[in-house]
Amino acid sequence: QQQVKQSPQSLIVQKGGISIINCAYENTAFDYFPWYQQFPGKGPALLIAIRPDVSEKKEGRFTISFNKSAKQFSLHIMDSQPGDSATYFCAASIGETSGSRLTFGEGTQLTVNP
Amino acid sequence: ETGVTQTPRHLVMGMTNKKSLKCEQHLGHNAMYWYKQSAKKPLELMFVYNFKEQTENNSVPSRFSPECPNSSHLFLHLHTLQPEDSALYLCASSQVAGLEQYFGPGTRLTVT
């Protein structure tokens, strides 16, 4: 049972363009939505995260847009750079009790062409 | 680079072998996790330890046996594995009451 669905599976963007990755969740109890970035040979690293009390969060070139009624959230990478080429995972979890139980999406492999 | 290290980075083992994966975190966290990462699939949570006590086992086959001797170290003992167990095994840590997990680089396991 896949509780977090991510799309697209792969994405190719030209340098300077906007990369958009979408996720949809089913469990309305989720209240923490992080995005992780993973480079080859490395473990995932937290990129940016949002709580459902806000509709948007921006950190540098990375923005999360959150639509609670639609149960969807997305990652926007502005001015995409070749160094952004990586696999991106959305995730969701419930609260802060007994450690976080992250449910991950399938991942999106982003390639930014120079 | 994260404060979570994993050894070995690569492991090839036969189906009858016994091996162990090691994870160490230097972040002062008190929760540790094992994940399995297979191609084109979401990361699968395997085990969770809070303050050295196992709090979650996501229906993982008994051929995977975790051990957490203290809050800084986590092991995954492997025996009689199957080829479909070939994957990247990731260790992560966090505060028990925290949301952010820090991942190690993983161990690439190949079962022949």
Side-chain angles (χ1 to χ4, degrees):
Chain A
Q1 181 182 359
Q2 179 58 41
Q3 294 194 57
V4 178
K5 295 186 178 181
Q6 183 172 346
S7 63
Q9 192 173 67
S10 63
L11 180 63
I12 299 175
V13 175
Q14 291 299 119
K15 178 182 176 181
I18 302 174
S19 305
I20 302 174
I21 304 171
N22 301 297
C23 282
Y25 62 96
E26 300 170 3
N27 189 344
T28 55
F30 287 142
D31 62 359
Y32 174 69
F33 301 90
W35 284 90
Y36 279 79
Q37 179 188 55
Q38 184 177 26
F39 292 105
K42 305 283 188 180
L46 179 66
L47 184 64
I48 186 173
I50 197 169
R51 303 296 290 264
D53 53 343
V54 296
S55 60
E56 184 175 285
K57 183 175 182 179
K58 183 177 182 179
E59 291 184 2
R61 296 183 294 109
F62 301 91
T63 300
I64 299 179
S65 297
F66 185 81
N67 186 330
K68 188 174 182 178
S69 61
K71 295 187 287 185
Q72 296 176 346
F73 59 109
S74 60
L75 176 69
H76 296 239
I77 305 175
M78 310 300 288
D79 188 26
S80 298
Q81 300 296 312
D84 297 329
S85 297
T87 301
Y88 292 81
F89 295 92
C90 63
S93 70
I94 301 171
E96 301 177 359
T97 57
S98 302
S100 59
R101 300 288 187 271
L102 290 171
T103 300
F104 284 88
E106 300 96 325
T108 296
Q109 187 167 353
L110 172 65
T111 301
V112 181
N113 288 328
Chain B
E1 192 62 41
T2 68
V4 181
T5 58
Q6 291 187 242
T7 55
R9 296 293 309 275
H10 301 272
L11 178 62
V12 180
M13 58 185 291
M15 295 169 61
T16 59
N17 291 159
K18 290 184 179 181
K19 297 287 185 182
S20 295
L21 309 185
K22 178 183 177 182
C23 174
E24 183 174 359
Q25 59 94 3
H26 310 274
L27 300 169
H29 291 159
N30 41 41
M32 297 188 77
Y33 312 78
W34 278 117
Y35 286 88
K36 177 183 179 182
Q37 185 175 29
S38 304
K40 303 291 192 284
K41 294 178 68 176
L43 274 72
E44 301 173 52
L45 180 64
M46 300 174 70
F47 301 103
V48 181
Y49 278 82
N50 291 333
F51 297 104
K52 304 187 301 179
E53 300 297 322
Q54 187 179 124
T55 56
E56 190 156 337
N57 175 338
N58 271 351
S59 304
V60 180
S62 59
R63 57 186 183 270
F64 295 90
S65 176
E67 178 189 1
C68 189
N70 55 61
S71 293
S72 298
H73 294 86
L74 185 65
F75 295 88
L76 188 62
H77 304 297
L78 316 171
H79 64 96
T80 324
L81 294 190
Q82 305 298 310
E84 61 264 29
D85 296 323
S86 298
L88 181 69
Y89 288 85
L90 291 162
C91 172
S93 71
S94 74
Q95 295 294 348
V96 168
L99 293 170
E100 182 175 354
Q101 293 186 17
Y102 292 79
F103 285 83
T107 295
R108 174 67 64 185
L109 173 67
T110 303
V111 181
T112 60

